[in-house]
Amino acid sequence: MYNPTCEMAVQNNSVSYQPPLRLQEFERAMSSLMMFISQEGDCVVGEAPDDELLLFWKERGVYLPQFVSKNDAISLIKDGAILIPWGGSRQLYYSYGLKQKSEQYTDLMRCFFSRELSVVLEDTVCRLCQGRNNLKQYDIEEKSELVTERDIMERRVRKGSCVVKSLWSSSGRGVQLVREQCHIEPAIVWARGKIRHDGGVVCEPFYKRLGEFTTLIEIYEDGRIEYLGTNYFEADEAGRFGKELIGQNILTREEEQEVAQILIEAMSRLNWVEKYIGKIGVDGMVYNDKQGERKVRICTEVNMRHTMGNINLSVVRCFSPKVKATWQIEQFDNAMSWARFCKEMDSRFPLVLDDKNRIECGFFRLSSLGYNYGAWGIVQG
């Protein structure tokens, strides 16, 4: 099931938490995306997408799961089905009748959804990279720092050129950029509040990014840690998600493998296999340092859940090799605006398929009509 508000629920830590209504609408609108990571026999909690969307992706080779209501899902769980959410929380498991699993979301599990985890992982990664001559392109100098004292935070912010992040939230939310003098005082006031409420903030250097990537990993019950692939995406300066990218890699295949191996070794050293089971997405970036040298920062943020990268790795199989495409999620004024937008884009960018029925050019959508949120993309030849 698609519950991207899981971090908010974990932070709240109450079994009665309910996300804002607009985010509940967003979850319903985007539930169709779960079909891209479904396997045979799976059911997706949510309304079935429109027939046109289902037929389009079925013709591209996507498995179409059965879409079921929450009540039907609860009945299936009672009969032995396993609930696989986008991300876990006490509230989610409790609402589906899994009270024992809900109680397992102790303070330890909450820490796995805190940005403090990213600081710990990055520190371990940097220590692994030190002294390895073949890993010189990986940034090990300027790291993220957990700051719990107001005076230390203020000194860091007043130096400028930094990013201040709250401990809770993700995907570019809860972030203050400090690039100019006018940013300093507002950032300090904001960070004081976060330290008072959450106990700390994360400070890191500001980088002019050349590109972003996510290393996708899964930890299994038997202790295996598996590299699933590397995804590329576009974000703004604060790290807020913008677009998923297809055919626009910024790492070499060798670098993708090296980054994955370093992260898996770091997770093993931190003994995550005894504390967590499930999907992990580790965001990183490529940038030029002060000397203009290309650098790779392996870990900027850790997401202990599914990410859009998991979906994109599946979606990319539906495209002709070597095409360059993007797709994104957008909010429209209403459902009619979303439907009208799709009709206009279909006319402006007609779909072209290759001899294997894969997308070669044109407009495509990934979510259902009938909502004021839409997921859509384009391949321009």
Side-chain angles (χ1 to χ4, degrees):
M1 66 165 294
Y2 185 58
N3 62 316
T5 55
C6 54
E7 279 112 343
M8 299 169 68
V10 170
Q11 180 185 8
N12 182 273
N13 204 32
S14 167
V15 296
S16 60
Y17 171 78
Q18 290 295 321
L21 291 176
R22 63 181 179 81
L23 293 181
Q24 293 182 41
E25 170 74 6
F26 176 78
E27 288 182 344
R28 289 192 293 270
M30 293 298 115
S31 62
S32 59
L33 294 175
M34 297 301 284
M35 68 182 177
F36 294 105
I37 53 176
S38 298
Q39 300 177 10
E40 187 173 352
D42 286 351
C43 295
V44 172
V45 181
E47 297 179 9
D50 60 86
D51 291 341
E52 182 182 345
L53 182 74
L54 290 172
L55 178 60
F56 176 83
W57 290 108
K58 182 179 180 180
E59 291 175 345
R60 311 282 86 73
V62 174
Y63 169 76
L64 301 184
Q66 181 182 357
F67 286 80
V68 299
S69 68
K70 180 177 179 178
N71 288 337
D72 288 340
I74 291 173
S75 296
L76 290 170
I77 291 168
K78 287 179 179 178
D79 291 337
I82 299 173
L83 178 65
I84 304 176
W86 187 257
S89 71
R90 283 190 66 203
Q91 176 270 337
L92 174 79
Y93 291 122
Y94 187 88
S95 70
Y96 278 83
L98 299 168
K99 295 184 180 180
Q100 184 176 354
K101 197 156 189 177
S102 174
E103 292 169 359
Q104 293 173 358
Y105 267 74
T106 60
D107 289 341
L108 175 64
M109 288 306 301
R110 290 186 75 233
C111 288
F112 271 82
F113 286 83
S114 165
R115 283 192 168 108
E116 183 178 354
L117 189 74
S118 303
V119 176
V120 172
L121 181 62
E122 184 182 25
D123 182 68
T124 306
V125 163
C126 290
R127 283 189 275 111
L128 286 172
C129 290
Q130 283 177 340
R132 300 189 187 184
N133 292 329
N134 62 320
L135 300 178
K136 287 183 177 179
Q137 73 269 39
Y138 299 117
D139 175 19
I140 61 172
E141 298 299 328
E142 299 185 274
K143 298 181 293 185
S144 300
E145 179 184 5
L146 174 65
V147 179
T148 58
E149 297 180 23
R150 285 175 48 176
D151 57 341
I152 296 176
M153 174 274 294
E154 290 185 21
R155 286 199 299 271
R156 179 64 190 89
V157 173
R158 290 191 191 283
K159 289 180 180 178
S161 192
C162 70
V163 182
V164 187
K165 299 179 177 180
S166 64
L167 291 183
W168 301 96
S169 78
S170 66
S171 303
R173 299 186 299 271
V175 174
Q176 292 284 308
L177 294 177
V178 182
R179 298 186 61 191
E180 300 178 12
Q181 189 71 24
C182 62
H183 299 155
I184 292 175
E185 291 305 323
I188 287 175
V189 172
W190 178 86
R192 284 174 185 163
K194 294 299 179 183
I195 291 174
R196 184 171 57 252
H197 184 268
D198 299 335
V201 293
V202 172
C203 294
E204 62 183 45
F206 174 81
Y207 299 95
K208 188 173 182 180
R209 308 163 188 236
L210 299 178
E212 329 257 353
F213 63 91
T214 304
T215 305
L216 300 165
I217 290 170
E218 184 163 9
I219 298 179
Y220 297 93
E221 286 190 50
D222 60 9
R224 286 181 299 120
I225 306 179
E226 182 182 356
Y227 166 56
L228 304 178
T230 301
N231 180 62
Y232 297 92
F233 65 98
E234 186 179 290
D236 65 14
E237 292 179 333
R240 285 183 288 264
F241 169 72
K243 298 177 181 179
E244 290 293 342
L245 306 179
I246 295 173
Q248 301 174 63
N249 300 4
I250 56 173
L251 298 179
T252 65
R253 284 291 178 87
E254 182 182 27
E255 286 175 333
E256 290 179 351
Q257 294 292 331
E258 285 176 343
V259 167
Q261 289 170 9
I262 292 167
L263 286 170
I264 288 173
E265 186 175 348
M267 292 175 188
S268 297
R269 290 198 178 191
L270 292 169
N271 207 25
W272 284 10
V273 294
E274 292 189 4
K275 304 169 186 175
Y276 179 83
I277 297 169
K279 297 285 196 302
I280 303 173
V282 182
D283 293 344
M285 70 168 78
V286 177
Y287 70 99
N288 285 334
D289 64 15
K290 295 176 182 178
Q291 289 71 42
E293 185 177 349
R294 176 182 178 273
K295 290 287 185 179
V296 178
R297 190 170 171 210
I298 294 175
C299 173
T300 59
E301 193 138 332
V302 181
N303 302 291
M304 306 299 283
R305 53 170 172 76
H306 290 76
T307 72
M308 286 297 166
N310 296 106
I311 292 174
N312 203 33
L313 284 189
S314 176
V315 169
V316 72
R317 303 186 191 115
C318 303
F319 289 78
S320 188
K322 298 183 179 180
V323 303
K324 292 184 178 181
T326 63
W327 63 270
Q328 64 195 75
I329 298 171
E330 186 173 345
Q331 182 177 11
F332 294 83
D333 291 337
N334 49 52
M336 288 296 294
S337 297
W338 165 226
R340 188 163 53 248
F341 172 83
C342 291
K343 186 174 182 180
E344 292 172 356
M345 294 295 282
D346 274 331
S347 176
R348 289 177 57 196
F349 304 99
L351 189 70
V352 177
L353 304 175
D354 66 12
D355 56 1
K356 294 185 178 179
N357 218 24
R358 295 172 298 191
I359 301 171
E360 196 168 65
C361 191
F363 169 80
F364 58 95
R365 65 182 171 96
L366 302 96
S367 67
S368 191
L369 300 174
Y371 300 93
N372 65 328
Y373 292 95
W376 64 275
I378 192 166
V379 184
Q380 295 194 17

